[in-house]
Amino acid sequence: MPDQHILFVTGRLAERPLRRIVERIAASAGFMPEVAVLGTLGKSYQQDEPLQWGFLTRPETSAVHRHAGSQTSPGNGTTE
């Protein structure tokens, strides 16, 4: 009889390979395996417009230039 009970948590994609590996080594390693499969969120993220790599879609000031003139003074939260 196995000494330990070990829970393996995985996603659906890795379930079958994990079960094969765990079942192969469980008896000789002396543990009782259990495999739990996590559910999916059911979200499908898709891009609505193609990206124009290397080009901004609208004019934008860089963060370096935007923050160069507005330094916050320590302690009082005001800008100089």
Side-chain angles (χ1 to χ4, degrees):
M1 176 169 252
D3 297 335
Q4 296 180 6
H5 183 89
I6 300 177
L7 173 64
F8 294 86
V9 181
T10 186
R12 278 195 276 171
L13 186 62
E15 178 186 8
R16 286 184 183 162
L18 178 64
R19 285 187 189 276
R20 280 196 301 268
I21 293 168
V22 167
E23 289 170 1
R24 226 179 345 208
I25 64 171
S28 61
F31 67 88
M32 175 62 119
E34 182 180 344
V35 176
V37 180
L38 296 175
T40 59
L41 295 176
K43 301 233 182 235
S44 176
Y45 295 102
Q46 295 180 352
Q47 188 174 319
D48 57 349
E49 296 177 9
L51 294 177
Q52 297 177 5
W53 291 103
F55 300 101
L56 296 174
T57 55
R58 59 181 181 228
E60 185 176 297
T61 306
S62 73
V64 174
H65 292 105
R66 191 168 52 241
H67 295 293
S70 61
Q71 297 296 323
T72 303
S73 299
N76 63 6
T78 61
T79 58
E80 296 177 24

